[in-house]
Amino acid sequence: MKTDVIIIGGGAAGMTAAIFAAREGRKVCVIEHRSEPGKKLLQTGNGKCNLTHENVCAGDYLKPGRCSWRGAQAFGREDVLSGVLGKAFQVFGYRETIIFFESIGIPVRNKGGYIYPYSGTALSVRNALWDEMKRLGVMIMTDTEPEISFEKGMFKVLTVTKKKADGKEYTEKKEITGEKLILATGLKAAPGTGSDGSGIEIAKGLGLKINRVLPALVKLKCSDGLCKPASGVRHICRSTMYADGEEAFKETGEVQFTDDGISGIPVFNMSRFASAALDDGGSVIAILDLLPDFSSEECYDFIDKNYERMKDRKLISFFGGLLPGKLLTAAARSISLSSEKKVSETGADQMKGLIGICKGWKLEVLQAHGFEAAQVCSGGVDISDIDPSTMEVKKFPGLYVAGELADVDGPCGGFNLQWAWTSGAIAGENC
Ligand SMILES: Cc1cc2nc3c(=O)[nH]c(=O)nc-3n(C[C@H](O)[C@H](O)[C@H](O)COP(=O)(O)OP(=O)(O)OC[C@H]3O[C@@H](n4cnc5c(N)ncnc54)[C@H](O)[C@@H]3O)c2cc1C
């Protein structure tokens, strides 16, 4: 079978690319190895799909802007990244994204800058993309594994599709040829949704340079057992990360404590840096200010003011208006202090020590969780090899890369999907 454009991967980027290519009058075939397109999309934003952010710009994806640490600069691609993203967002940025979603029946809702479908459901977004592909006559092959080669200016894809008839499973093989191929397979984050790393092998097979792939936007494992007593607590903290002693990242937001470490949006954002530093063999420390709205002096004043009246209380109750009990217990335990101790039996030094911990709880980050737990990956196809005005691979005319497979990752907040929409639309429109 001959088609104009073959798209490998029916995720956010692949579906967008298919729609834009088909709107240009191209005959499009999407090859997806899972049973339905957009499985990951269904999980985004806790099922609500944070589509984009109203202030999205190239700077959001860079690392040194938020980070002076050598590891981030060692990516050595910040100028390139900034150029690629700047150009790509000029072509298809926030405004174009909103117009696109309105065109497929998805008006949006702005929640403090974070953009969601008005329905509040990721399912509505996935289904709208799927329905638009069908309307435009895009051929969607699911449950299909591709094997790709390039001969005489044409991409040849041998497909093996799992099928069922009369309760029996069988496979069907086909050959599809096309002049243009868009790779939109994602990397390895949440592999259960389909991005199992096979796309990386396809890209390598076509001669593309792949930068180190690591989990990003993922929870972090910290110093043994320290966080366990606070497991389940969510608390606003100022989180600062140090890599090899240098400040690499800082953000205030809700940290979630887990059995083996920390999670939550600021931790996910931190993990983009921590993952690389740890992979380089560096040491990573997270310092949590559990009372970011108070200076140490204000905390001491709190103790002085309340000491006499509340000296018969336990520490957990004395500080109960400032910190969740489980969190105070965990922090106190790290200096071998029991939160059950009475205030009157706790010396001034210990009280000050406790404030010291609450204002700067030091956690050694041992490891980032793996790809299964990650929302995105850093790394992928080197973007200096891609023309951002078309998403075509410079040295391989006819071959395009879209979405997470390209080495672009951003923080939480709609930035990663925005890249999928942007790169997918540009690739689809220009292939
Ligand atoms: C739990 C979770 C929540 C998230 N929430 C948000 C959010 O709210 N906002 C946001 O901006 N980002 C969010 N993200 C990130 C966002 O989902 C990704 O950045 C985005 O899905 C990447 O799109 P993509 O199309 O490049 O890759 P994917 O969505 O991973 O799609 C790749 C597709 O290619 C298919 N595929 C892979 N290999 C092959 C192959 N060899 N042959 C055929 N098909 C193949 C896969 O099955 C998959 O369907 C979240 C991610 C997760 C896991």
Side-chain angles (χ1 to χ4, degrees):
M1 188 190 89
K2 193 171 174 319
T3 189
D4 295 329
V5 183
I6 304 168
I7 299 176
I8 311 294
M15 287 194 281
T16 309
I19 291 168
F20 276 82
R23 284 182 180 179
E24 290 295 308
R26 318 282 281 153
K27 199 172 157 199
V28 183
C29 173
V30 174
I31 297 172
E32 166 57 52
H33 67 175
R34 286 293 186 264
S35 57
E36 55 183 307
K39 277 201 160 190
K40 188 181 288 172
L41 203 45
L42 299 177
Q43 296 186 6
T44 55
N46 285 325
K48 294 185 172 153
C49 187
N50 183 188
L51 283 171
T52 181
H53 192 280
E54 69 172 345
N55 296 323
V56 68
C57 68
D60 294 312
Y61 299 76
L62 306 182
K63 300 191 177 179
R66 294 160 171 253
C67 164
S68 62
W69 173 62
R70 66 167 173 79
Q73 283 150 3
F75 280 85
R77 49 167 208 145
E78 299 307 329
D79 288 349
V80 180
L81 185 58
S82 170
V84 166
L85 288 168
K87 200 159 199 179
F89 287 143
Q90 249 173 30
V91 180
F92 195 91
Y94 171 76
R95 202 174 143 268
E96 290 75 17
T97 302
I98 302 301
I99 293 170
F100 168 57
F101 278 105
E102 280 175 355
S103 80
I104 58 169
I106 302 288
V108 299
R109 198 190 281 275
N110 186 332
K111 290 187 186 170
Y114 301 92
I115 309 297
Y116 291 84
Y118 194 84
S119 65
T121 69
L123 183 65
S124 67
V125 177
R126 195 287 300 266
N127 286 352
L129 291 163
W130 196 351
D131 285 341
E132 179 69 355
M133 286 197 293
K134 286 189 229 161
R135 184 185 75 83
L136 292 163
V138 172
M139 180 179 172
I140 306 159
M141 296 175 75
T142 52
D143 281 322
T144 301
E145 294 292 346
E147 200 186 297
I148 298 158
S149 57
F150 184 71
E151 285 166 27
K152 296 178 189 151
M154 293 290 278
F155 291 95
K156 190 163 90 179
V157 183
L158 297 174
T159 62
V160 179
T161 305
K162 278 189 251 157
K163 299 224 160 178
K164 249 187 194 171
D166 303 329
K168 282 188 188 159
E169 281 190 8
Y170 68 102
T171 54
E172 189 180 86
K173 293 185 180 173
K174 273 194 182 147
E175 185 182 294
I176 300 165
T177 53
E179 275 175 27
K180 307 287 170 91
L181 184 91
I182 302 177
L183 292 178
T185 57
L187 289 165
K188 291 180 171 182
T193 62
S195 49
D196 57 3
S198 53
I200 300 172
E201 298 313 313
I202 294 175
K204 277 186 190 164
L206 290 167
L208 301 187
K209 184 179 164 211
I210 305 288
N211 296 333
R212 168 175 71 167
V213 177
L214 293 172
L217 304 192
V218 71
K219 50 191 179 171
L220 298 171
K221 287 188 190 172
C222 296
S223 341
D224 279 347
L226 272 188
C227 297
K228 198 175 167 85
S231 183
V233 170
R234 291 161 180 262
H235 187 71
I236 307 273
C237 302
R238 182 179 303 125
S239 312
T240 311
M241 181 198 128
Y242 293 84
D244 290 341
E246 275 186 61
E247 187 179 312
F249 176 82
K250 195 181 255 181
E251 189 170 306
T252 301
E254 191 178 76
V255 172
Q256 206 177 319
F257 294 83
T258 68
D259 277 355
D260 64 5
I262 47 177
S263 183
I265 288 172
V267 174
F268 276 23
N269 291 342
M270 181 191 294
S271 73
R272 293 175 67 218
F273 305 91
S275 212
L278 290 164
D279 196 63
D280 282 343
S283 76
V284 175
I285 301 291
I287 306 273
L288 302 185
D289 182 347
L290 308 179
L291 297 166
D293 296 306
F294 300 99
S295 65
S296 297
E297 286 64 36
E298 285 171 322
C299 296
Y300 300 148
D301 280 353
F302 177 86
I303 296 173
D304 291 344
K305 236 190 271 164
N306 295 307
Y307 187 86
E308 271 310 314
R309 241 178 318 133
M310 293 168 26
K311 67 181 177 202
D312 290 332
R313 288 195 193 181
K314 292 173 178 174
L315 288 171
I316 195 168
S317 156
F318 185 87
F319 289 109
L322 291 177
L323 288 170
K326 281 172 87 176
L327 187 53
L328 183 85
T329 300
R333 205 176 276 187
S334 71
I335 49 165
S336 308
L337 183 64
S338 166
S339 58
E340 292 295 310
K341 202 170 176 179
K342 265 191 171 179
V343 171
S344 57
E345 291 162 4
T346 313
D349 282 355
Q350 276 186 315
M351 293 288 265
K352 280 201 166 175
L354 188 53
I355 294 300
I357 287 293
C358 294
K359 289 297 297 167
W361 192 16
K362 184 174 166 182
L363 298 170
E364 188 188 352
V365 178
L366 304 175
Q367 212 184 326
H369 276 253
F371 293 111
E372 297 73 27
Q375 289 203 352
V376 296
C377 291
S378 59
V381 174
D382 197 317
I383 33 111
S384 53
D385 293 339
I386 297 171
D387 175 352
S389 54
T390 58
M391 294 308 293
E392 191 169 23
V393 177
K394 288 177 191 165
K395 62 179 181 197
F396 200 149
L399 178 62
Y400 299 75
V401 176
E404 200 176 317
L405 180 64
D407 187 358
V408 173
D409 63 284
C412 292
F415 300 95
N416 290 295
L417 279 176
Q418 178 62 67
W419 172 243
W421 316 133
T422 293
S423 55
I426 294 175
E429 205 163 57
N430 290 284
C431 66

